[in-house]
């Protein structure tokens, strides 16, 4: 199976554009999960003053969305944790009815990962930051591993030079994190040579954790973002079983090629129904699209196109 035949793009992409939120310049890289008899999401909005904000949305079918024009407010008893202005690239993971919501904060000391929890997408409780600066990407596993909460994250830099390798960490309480282990990083050349970062929360399969991630290449015209996948050991998720050598999805459509940041596909959520994985991804830092693939086909591709 050749690459780019695994994922089929939805025919009416993009599914969400800036018109969905009154003050939006763009809406992209967002987190979507099954909720009630439909779906809920947390959407990254870059406003017309280029403040980056996050908004809740609901949908019956995962395609047509109602997005709250108001910015998410979080309950916090700690002034230090009050939401910073620039908040972006949310991810969501459900564990036992609690939705763990992580995002990147542009703090004065550099990017780091914030977390909040919700059970109803109305009330959000601000929790401790999951990482110190500098870290830009984080996803929480949907179950404990060896009795501990677990996450993948991507330590970063101030944003001016590439640093982009992925690490695994565990915690007994979602506050204290340790057992930091390198998982995988960039390769010498090609679509994942500048940096990589975890996309949607890992999906448990009989063949291992399926992780969709983004890979970045620096061309003479700047960064290009692609999607790839990896399979990781179920009980030792720092051990890579397979990892795509060829990309799974590249920016080829006009809405992926043209936008505020051209040539970006940025996978940020995945929902699995009856063996079909629906991936939501940001396009050119401008809008949100959807593509679907059978989980077994992604696994087959990952195994057959591995390093
Ligand atoms: C990354 C993140 C993403 C963005 C990408 C391309 O560093 O900021 O939100 O989609 O750059 O601009």
């Amino acid at each position: 199976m050749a690459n780019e035949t695994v994922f089929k793009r939805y025919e009416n992409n993009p599914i969400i554009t800036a018109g969905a939120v009154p003050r939006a310049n763009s809406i992209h890289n967002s987190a979507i999960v099954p909720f009630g008899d439909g779906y809920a999401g947390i959407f990254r909005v870059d406003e017309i003053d280029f403040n980056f904000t996050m908004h809740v949305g609901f949908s019956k079918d995962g395609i047509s969305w109602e997005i709250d024009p108001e910015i998410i407010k979080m309950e916090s008893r700690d002034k230090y944790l009050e939401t910073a202005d620039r908040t972006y690239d949310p991810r969501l993971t459900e564990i036992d009815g609690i939705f763990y919501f992580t995002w990147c904060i542009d703090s004065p000391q550099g990017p780091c990962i914030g977390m909040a929890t919700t059970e109803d997408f109305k009330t959000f409780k601000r929790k401790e930051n999951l990482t110190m600066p500098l870290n830009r990407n984080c996803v929480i596993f949907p179950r404990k591993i060896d009795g501990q909460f677990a996450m993948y994250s991507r330590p970063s830099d101030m944003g001016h030079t590439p640093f982009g390798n992925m690490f695994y960490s565990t915690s007994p309480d979602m506050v204290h994190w340790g057992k930091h282990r390198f998982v995988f990083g960039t390769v010498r050349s090609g679509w994942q040579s500048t940096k990589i970062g975890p996309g949607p929360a890992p999906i448990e399969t009989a063949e291992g954790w399926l992780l969709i991630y983004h890979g970045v290449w620096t061309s003479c015209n700047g960064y290009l973002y692609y999607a790839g996948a990896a399979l990781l050991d179920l009980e030792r998720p720092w051990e890579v079983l397979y990892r795509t050598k060829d990309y799974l999805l590249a920016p080829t459509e006009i809405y992926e090629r043209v936008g505020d940041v051209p040539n970006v596909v940025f996978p940020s959520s995945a929902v699995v129904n009856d063996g079909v994985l629906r991936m939501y991804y940001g396009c050119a830092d401008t809008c949100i699209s959807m593509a679907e693939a059978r989980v077994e086909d992604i696994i087959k591709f990952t195994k057959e196109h591995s390093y």
Side-chain angles (χ1 to χ4, degrees):
M1 193 181 297
N3 54 22
E4 291 205 78
T5 60
V6 179
F7 272 101
K8 297 274 179 265
R9 291 173 173 86
Y10 178 58
E11 57 190 358
N12 293 323
N13 276 345
I15 60 166
I16 308 170
T17 58
V21 181
R23 278 186 54 78
N25 161 78
S26 54
I27 179 166
H28 53 114
N29 309 353
S30 296
I32 288 167
V33 285
F35 178 69
D37 57 1
Y39 300 85
I42 295 176
F43 293 88
R44 166 180 173 175
V45 173
D46 298 2
E47 296 192 332
I48 49 178
D49 60 359
F50 268 79
N51 190 19
F52 296 176
T53 60
M54 294 184 301
H55 300 244
V56 169
F58 297 99
S59 171
K60 283 268 177 252
D61 61 2
I63 304 283
S64 304
W65 288 85
E66 290 290 327
I67 299 175
D68 189 343
E70 299 298 322
I71 300 168
I72 292 176
K73 292 182 189 61
M74 301 194 196
E75 291 177 357
S76 169
R77 270 175 272 137
D78 190 331
K79 197 149 182 53
Y80 183 84
L81 293 173
E82 280 175 11
T83 313
D85 269 2
R86 283 164 69 92
T87 55
Y88 57 102
D89 294 357
R91 310 283 206 285
L92 272 165
T93 301
E94 182 190 350
I95 308 175
D96 299 333
I98 297 175
F99 295 91
Y100 294 85
F101 155 36
T102 64
W103 68 93
C104 187
I105 302 171
D106 259 353
S107 82
Q109 296 77 37
C112 65
I113 303 296
M115 187 177 77
T117 58
T118 185
E119 290 178 47
D120 55 10
F121 288 89
K122 292 187 184 123
T123 308
F124 290 85
K125 294 191 177 124
R126 183 70 164 92
K127 303 291 181 183
E128 290 295 327
N129 289 342
L130 292 195
T131 70
M132 292 188 287
L134 305 164
N135 198 310
R136 202 182 276 272
N137 284 276
C138 168
V139 283
I140 292 174
F141 281 71
R143 68 163 168 88
K144 288 183 173 175
I145 295 168
D146 201 15
Q148 305 283 307
F149 292 108
M151 71 169 170
Y152 286 138
S153 77
R154 211 288 305 284
S156 182
D157 58 15
M158 292 299 272
H160 309 299
T161 55
F163 175 77
N165 299 327
M166 198 172 77
F167 286 77
Y168 173 80
S169 311
T170 67
S171 170
D173 54 8
M174 290 273 193
V175 176
H176 305 90
W177 291 89
K179 195 173 173 178
H180 308 294
R181 295 189 173 198
F182 173 72
V183 184
F184 64 88
T186 55
V187 299
R188 202 168 59 82
S189 62
W191 65 271
Q192 45 190 335
S193 57
T194 297
K195 49 188 173 178
I196 52 124
I203 294 154
E204 188 163 11
T205 77
E207 308 253 7
W209 291 104
L210 173 63
L211 179 77
I212 296 174
Y213 64 95
H214 67 259
V216 182
W217 171 55
T218 308
S219 76
C220 58
N221 274 332
Y223 292 158
L224 287 86
Y225 279 67
Y226 301 78
L231 281 165
L232 301 115
D233 187 89
L234 284 178
E235 299 311 317
R236 295 176 303 283
W238 56 91
E239 287 184 12
V240 181
L241 305 175
Y242 299 95
R243 174 215 183 158
T244 45
K245 181 168 172 296
D246 303 329
Y247 55 69
L248 266 169
L249 197 74
T252 54
E253 301 300 307
I254 191 76
Y255 50 87
E256 298 160 350
R257 288 277 194 203
V258 177
D260 281 2
V261 181
N263 299 310
V264 174
V265 296
F266 193 93
S268 50
S269 21
V271 174
V272 179
N273 276 319
D274 295 331
V276 175
L277 184 148
R278 176 180 277 190
M279 176 172 83
Y280 294 93
Y281 62 101
C283 302
D285 284 14
T286 298
C287 55
I288 298 170
S289 287
M290 191 271 271
E292 289 185 334
R294 294 198 62 77
V295 172
E296 65 187 45
D297 290 343
I298 305 173
I299 290 174
K300 186 167 184 284
F301 181 89
T302 304
K303 288 168 87 167
E304 288 177 358
H305 297 251
S306 182
Y307 279 99

mmCIF file of all heavy atoms in Angstrom, residues 214-244:
data_model
loop_
_atom_site.group_PDB
_atom_site.id
_atom_site.type_symbol
_atom_site.label_atom_id
_atom_site.label_comp_id
_atom_site.label_asym_id
_atom_site.label_seq_id
_atom_site.Cartn_x
_atom_site.Cartn_y
_atom_site.Cartn_z
ATOM 1 N N HIS A 214 3.713 14.199 14.364
ATOM 2 C CA HIS A 214 4.098 15.067 13.249
ATOM 3 C C HIS A 214 5.623 15.069 13.111
ATOM 4 O O HIS A 214 6.353 14.893 14.085
ATOM 5 C CB HIS A 214 3.537 16.490 13.392
ATOM 6 C CG HIS A 214 4.097 17.281 14.529
ATOM 7 N ND1 HIS A 214 3.435 17.465 15.717
ATOM 8 C CD2 HIS A 214 5.269 17.965 14.662
ATOM 9 C CE1 HIS A 214 4.156 18.217 16.526
ATOM 10 N NE2 HIS A 214 5.277 18.526 15.911
ATOM 11 N N GLY A 215 6.055 15.245 11.891
ATOM 12 C CA GLY A 215 7.478 15.357 11.608
ATOM 13 C C GLY A 215 7.699 16.612 10.772
ATOM 14 O O GLY A 215 6.840 16.987 9.971
ATOM 15 N N VAL A 216 8.837 17.245 11.003
ATOM 16 C CA VAL A 216 9.091 18.533 10.350
ATOM 17 C C VAL A 216 10.401 18.480 9.566
ATOM 18 O O VAL A 216 11.409 17.950 10.049
ATOM 19 C CB VAL A 216 9.169 19.668 11.400
ATOM 20 C CG1 VAL A 216 9.383 21.021 10.735
ATOM 21 C CG2 VAL A 216 7.905 19.688 12.261
ATOM 22 N N TRP A 217 10.307 19.041 8.389
ATOM 23 C CA TRP A 217 11.474 19.158 7.519
ATOM 24 C C TRP A 217 11.740 20.638 7.264
ATOM 25 O O TRP A 217 10.788 21.414 7.110
ATOM 26 C CB TRP A 217 11.173 18.444 6.193
ATOM 27 C CG TRP A 217 12.183 18.644 5.104
ATOM 28 C CD1 TRP A 217 13.514 18.399 5.180
ATOM 29 C CD2 TRP A 217 11.927 19.110 3.770
ATOM 30 N NE1 TRP A 217 14.119 18.680 3.975
ATOM 31 C CE2 TRP A 217 13.165 19.125 3.090
ATOM 32 C CE3 TRP A 217 10.783 19.516 3.086
ATOM 33 C CZ2 TRP A 217 13.290 19.535 1.768
ATOM 34 C CZ3 TRP A 217 10.908 19.922 1.773
ATOM 35 C CH2 TRP A 217 12.154 19.921 1.124
ATOM 36 N N THR A 218 12.996 21.051 7.265
ATOM 37 C CA THR A 218 13.326 22.446 6.967
ATOM 38 C C THR A 218 13.841 22.537 5.541
ATOM 39 O O THR A 218 14.912 22.026 5.224
ATOM 40 C CB THR A 218 14.392 22.986 7.935
ATOM 41 O OG1 THR A 218 13.960 22.722 9.261
ATOM 42 C CG2 THR A 218 14.576 24.485 7.755
ATOM 43 N N SER A 219 13.035 23.177 4.714
ATOM 44 C CA SER A 219 13.450 23.377 3.320
ATOM 45 C C SER A 219 14.073 24.764 3.203
ATOM 46 O O SER A 219 14.107 25.517 4.181
ATOM 47 C CB SER A 219 12.224 23.297 2.397
ATOM 48 O OG SER A 219 11.477 24.495 2.508
ATOM 49 N N CYS A 220 14.505 25.132 2.009
ATOM 50 C CA CYS A 220 15.074 26.476 1.856
ATOM 51 C C CYS A 220 13.996 27.544 2.018
ATOM 52 O O CYS A 220 14.287 28.710 2.209
ATOM 53 C CB CYS A 220 15.810 26.614 0.529
ATOM 54 S SG CYS A 220 14.763 26.276 -0.866
ATOM 55 N N ASN A 221 12.700 27.123 2.004
ATOM 56 C CA ASN A 221 11.605 28.075 2.240
ATOM 57 C C ASN A 221 10.978 27.936 3.616
ATOM 58 O O ASN A 221 9.885 28.433 3.849
ATOM 59 C CB ASN A 221 10.507 27.881 1.186
ATOM 60 C CG ASN A 221 10.791 28.677 -0.060
ATOM 61 O OD1 ASN A 221 11.450 29.706 0.010
ATOM 62 N ND2 ASN A 221 10.318 28.198 -1.184
ATOM 63 N N GLY A 222 11.607 27.227 4.533
ATOM 64 C CA GLY A 222 11.070 27.098 5.889
ATOM 65 C C GLY A 222 10.550 25.704 6.185
ATOM 66 O O GLY A 222 10.815 24.749 5.452
ATOM 67 N N TYR A 223 9.778 25.621 7.301
ATOM 68 C CA TYR A 223 9.306 24.320 7.790
ATOM 69 C C TYR A 223 8.169 23.748 6.939
ATOM 70 O O TYR A 223 7.294 24.490 6.487
ATOM 71 C CB TYR A 223 8.755 24.455 9.210
ATOM 72 C CG TYR A 223 9.759 24.763 10.293
ATOM 73 C CD1 TYR A 223 9.328 25.344 11.488
ATOM 74 C CD2 TYR A 223 11.109 24.462 10.160
ATOM 75 C CE1 TYR A 223 10.222 25.622 12.518
ATOM 76 C CE2 TYR A 223 12.003 24.739 11.190
ATOM 77 C CZ TYR A 223 11.554 25.323 12.360
ATOM 78 O OH TYR A 223 12.430 25.585 13.362
ATOM 79 N N LEU A 224 8.150 22.413 6.797
ATOM 80 C CA LEU A 224 6.994 21.683 6.263
ATOM 81 C C LEU A 224 6.631 20.611 7.286
ATOM 82 O O LEU A 224 7.532 19.970 7.850
ATOM 83 C CB LEU A 224 7.310 21.006 4.924
ATOM 84 C CG LEU A 224 7.443 21.925 3.701
ATOM 85 C CD1 LEU A 224 8.852 22.461 3.579
ATOM 86 C CD2 LEU A 224 7.094 21.155 2.428
ATOM 87 N N TYR A 225 5.321 20.423 7.542
ATOM 88 C CA TYR A 225 4.834 19.486 8.564
ATOM 89 C C TYR A 225 4.114 18.306 7.912
ATOM 90 O O TYR A 225 3.218 18.516 7.075
ATOM 91 C CB TYR A 225 3.862 20.187 9.519
ATOM 92 C CG TYR A 225 4.542 20.997 10.588
ATOM 93 C CD1 TYR A 225 5.265 22.135 10.274
ATOM 94 C CD2 TYR A 225 4.433 20.629 11.923
ATOM 95 C CE1 TYR A 225 5.890 22.876 11.266
ATOM 96 C CE2 TYR A 225 5.051 21.371 12.923
ATOM 97 C CZ TYR A 225 5.771 22.499 12.588
ATOM 98 O OH TYR A 225 6.380 23.223 13.575
ATOM 99 N N TYR A 226 4.445 17.096 8.360
ATOM 100 C CA TYR A 226 3.886 15.841 7.832
ATOM 101 C C TYR A 226 3.339 15.007 8.995
ATOM 102 O O TYR A 226 3.635 15.276 10.167
ATOM 103 C CB TYR A 226 4.988 15.030 7.134
ATOM 104 C CG TYR A 226 5.646 15.773 5.998
ATOM 105 C CD1 TYR A 226 6.608 16.750 6.254
ATOM 106 C CD2 TYR A 226 5.307 15.506 4.682
ATOM 107 C CE1 TYR A 226 7.207 17.445 5.215
ATOM 108 C CE2 TYR A 226 5.901 16.190 3.639
ATOM 109 C CZ TYR A 226 6.848 17.170 3.914
ATOM 110 O OH TYR A 226 7.435 17.857 2.892
ATOM 111 N N ALA A 227 2.580 13.949 8.663
ATOM 112 C CA ALA A 227 2.128 13.013 9.696
ATOM 113 C C ALA A 227 2.734 11.639 9.453
ATOM 114 O O ALA A 227 2.775 11.155 8.313
ATOM 115 C CB ALA A 227 0.604 12.913 9.688
ATOM 116 N N GLY A 228 3.196 11.021 10.542
ATOM 117 C CA GLY A 228 3.692 9.648 10.495
ATOM 118 C C GLY A 228 3.086 8.868 11.648
ATOM 119 O O GLY A 228 2.247 9.386 12.396
ATOM 120 N N ALA A 229 3.485 7.607 11.810
ATOM 121 C CA ALA A 229 2.948 6.785 12.891
ATOM 122 C C ALA A 229 4.026 5.874 13.449
ATOM 123 O O ALA A 229 5.009 5.560 12.763
ATOM 124 C CB ALA A 229 1.772 5.953 12.403
ATOM 125 N N ALA A 230 3.814 5.466 14.702
ATOM 126 C CA ALA A 230 4.727 4.512 15.339
ATOM 127 C C ALA A 230 3.907 3.516 16.142
ATOM 128 O O ALA A 230 2.786 3.812 16.574
ATOM 129 C CB ALA A 230 5.712 5.244 16.249
ATOM 130 N N LEU A 231 4.468 2.322 16.315
ATOM 131 C CA LEU A 231 3.899 1.321 17.228
ATOM 132 C C LEU A 231 4.898 1.130 18.353
ATOM 133 O O LEU A 231 6.095 0.940 18.096
ATOM 134 C CB LEU A 231 3.672 0.003 16.494
ATOM 135 C CG LEU A 231 2.426 -0.052 15.611
ATOM 136 C CD1 LEU A 231 2.489 -1.241 14.672
ATOM 137 C CD2 LEU A 231 1.155 -0.119 16.465
ATOM 138 N N LEU A 232 4.390 1.197 19.593
ATOM 139 C CA LEU A 232 5.272 1.138 20.752
ATOM 140 C C LEU A 232 4.806 0.048 21.699
ATOM 141 O O LEU A 232 3.602 -0.241 21.779
ATOM 142 C CB LEU A 232 5.276 2.512 21.441
ATOM 143 C CG LEU A 232 5.757 3.573 20.434
ATOM 144 C CD1 LEU A 232 4.672 4.553 20.120
ATOM 145 C CD2 LEU A 232 7.014 4.229 20.890
ATOM 146 N N ASP A 233 5.742 -0.540 22.402
ATOM 147 C CA ASP A 233 5.426 -1.664 23.288
ATOM 148 C C ASP A 233 4.351 -1.261 24.319
ATOM 149 O O ASP A 233 4.439 -0.187 24.921
ATOM 150 C CB ASP A 233 6.708 -2.103 24.008
ATOM 151 C CG ASP A 233 6.475 -3.363 24.806
ATOM 152 O OD1 ASP A 233 6.645 -4.450 24.242
ATOM 153 O OD2 ASP A 233 6.088 -3.247 25.993
ATOM 154 N N LEU A 234 3.377 -2.160 24.525
ATOM 155 C CA LEU A 234 2.239 -1.805 25.390
ATOM 156 C C LEU A 234 2.652 -1.558 26.843
ATOM 157 O O LEU A 234 2.111 -0.665 27.494
ATOM 158 C CB LEU A 234 1.176 -2.911 25.341
ATOM 159 C CG LEU A 234 0.307 -2.948 24.080
ATOM 160 C CD1 LEU A 234 -0.667 -4.117 24.148
ATOM 161 C CD2 LEU A 234 -0.461 -1.648 23.874
ATOM 162 N N GLU A 235 3.567 -2.321 27.372
ATOM 163 C CA GLU A 235 3.948 -2.143 28.787
ATOM 164 C C GLU A 235 5.250 -1.367 28.954
ATOM 165 O O GLU A 235 5.554 -0.916 30.045
ATOM 166 C CB GLU A 235 4.055 -3.511 29.488
ATOM 167 C CG GLU A 235 2.730 -4.298 29.490
ATOM 168 C CD GLU A 235 1.520 -3.471 29.961
ATOM 169 O OE1 GLU A 235 1.644 -2.725 30.953
ATOM 170 O OE2 GLU A 235 0.451 -3.557 29.316
ATOM 171 N N ARG A 236 5.993 -1.189 27.872
ATOM 172 C CA ARG A 236 7.249 -0.412 27.912
ATOM 173 C C ARG A 236 7.206 0.579 26.742
ATOM 174 O O ARG A 236 7.913 0.415 25.745
ATOM 175 C CB ARG A 236 8.478 -1.333 27.793
ATOM 176 C CG ARG A 236 8.640 -2.282 28.970
ATOM 177 C CD ARG A 236 9.808 -3.241 28.776
ATOM 178 N NE ARG A 236 9.674 -4.017 27.556
ATOM 179 C CZ ARG A 236 8.859 -5.072 27.410
ATOM 180 N NH1 ARG A 236 8.139 -5.493 28.431
ATOM 181 N NH2 ARG A 236 8.767 -5.685 26.269
ATOM 182 N N PRO A 237 6.345 1.604 26.875
ATOM 183 C CA PRO A 237 6.064 2.453 25.710
ATOM 184 C C PRO A 237 7.228 3.332 25.251
ATOM 185 O O PRO A 237 7.066 4.115 24.321
ATOM 186 C CB PRO A 237 4.879 3.321 26.181
ATOM 187 C CG PRO A 237 4.343 2.634 27.380
ATOM 188 C CD PRO A 237 5.493 1.939 28.025
ATOM 189 N N TRP A 238 8.388 3.198 25.908
ATOM 190 C CA TRP A 238 9.572 3.892 25.396
ATOM 191 C C TRP A 238 10.280 3.027 24.347
ATOM 192 O O TRP A 238 11.207 3.458 23.697
ATOM 193 C CB TRP A 238 10.538 4.224 26.554
ATOM 194 C CG TRP A 238 10.944 3.018 27.346
ATOM 195 C CD1 TRP A 238 12.021 2.218 27.129
ATOM 196 C CD2 TRP A 238 10.244 2.453 28.461
ATOM 197 N NE1 TRP A 238 12.042 1.189 28.028
ATOM 198 C CE2 TRP A 238 10.966 1.298 28.868
ATOM 199 C CE3 TRP A 238 9.085 2.802 29.162
ATOM 200 C CZ2 TRP A 238 10.564 0.499 29.929
ATOM 201 C CZ3 TRP A 238 8.680 2.008 30.227
ATOM 202 C CH2 TRP A 238 9.410 0.874 30.599
ATOM 203 N N GLU A 239 9.810 1.768 24.197
ATOM 204 C CA GLU A 239 10.419 0.872 23.207
ATOM 205 C C GLU A 239 9.649 0.926 21.891
ATOM 206 O O GLU A 239 8.451 0.607 21.839
ATOM 207 C CB GLU A 239 10.437 -0.563 23.734
ATOM 208 C CG GLU A 239 11.471 -0.745 24.831
ATOM 209 C CD GLU A 239 11.587 -2.183 25.317
ATOM 210 O OE1 GLU A 239 11.037 -3.101 24.654
ATOM 211 O OE2 GLU A 239 12.220 -2.375 26.369
ATOM 212 N N VAL A 240 10.359 1.352 20.853
ATOM 213 C CA VAL A 240 9.730 1.511 19.540
ATOM 214 C C VAL A 240 9.743 0.171 18.815
ATOM 215 O O VAL A 240 10.806 -0.437 18.640
ATOM 216 C CB VAL A 240 10.507 2.554 18.702
ATOM 217 C CG1 VAL A 240 9.841 2.749 17.340
ATOM 218 C CG2 VAL A 240 10.601 3.878 19.444
ATOM 219 N N LEU A 241 8.560 -0.288 18.412
ATOM 220 C CA LEU A 241 8.477 -1.535 17.645
ATOM 221 C C LEU A 241 8.629 -1.226 16.153
ATOM 222 O O LEU A 241 9.387 -1.878 15.446
ATOM 223 C CB LEU A 241 7.144 -2.235 17.916
ATOM 224 C CG LEU A 241 6.831 -2.503 19.403
ATOM 225 C CD1 LEU A 241 5.430 -3.080 19.569
ATOM 226 C CD2 LEU A 241 7.871 -3.457 19.995
ATOM 227 N N TYR A 242 7.901 -0.249 15.702
ATOM 228 C CA TYR A 242 7.955 0.189 14.299
ATOM 229 C C TYR A 242 7.744 1.701 14.274
ATOM 230 O O TYR A 242 7.068 2.249 15.128
ATOM 231 C CB TYR A 242 6.837 -0.455 13.467
ATOM 232 C CG TYR A 242 6.892 -1.954 13.423
ATOM 233 C CD1 TYR A 242 6.147 -2.719 14.319
ATOM 234 C CD2 TYR A 242 7.680 -2.615 12.470
ATOM 235 C CE1 TYR A 242 6.194 -4.098 14.284
ATOM 236 C CE2 TYR A 242 7.726 -4.000 12.433
ATOM 237 C CZ TYR A 242 6.986 -4.735 13.337
ATOM 238 O OH TYR A 242 7.031 -6.092 13.299
ATOM 239 N N ARG A 243 8.297 2.323 13.252
ATOM 240 C CA ARG A 243 8.121 3.754 13.102
ATOM 241 C C ARG A 243 8.237 4.089 11.621
ATOM 242 O O ARG A 243 9.167 3.628 10.954
ATOM 243 C CB ARG A 243 9.236 4.440 13.884
ATOM 244 C CG ARG A 243 9.269 5.918 13.707
ATOM 245 C CD ARG A 243 10.683 6.411 13.729
ATOM 246 N NE ARG A 243 10.703 7.842 13.621
ATOM 247 C CZ ARG A 243 11.698 8.595 14.022
ATOM 248 N NH1 ARG A 243 12.742 8.038 14.596
ATOM 249 N NH2 ARG A 243 11.675 9.885 13.827
ATOM 250 N N THR A 244 7.291 4.842 11.105
ATOM 251 C CA THR A 244 7.245 5.063 9.661
ATOM 252 C C THR A 244 8.495 5.794 9.144
ATOM 253 O O THR A 244 8.888 6.829 9.671
ATOM 254 C CB THR A 244 5.998 5.866 9.252
ATOM 255 O OG1 THR A 244 5.828 6.963 10.155
ATOM 256 C CG2 THR A 244 4.763 5.018 9.222
#
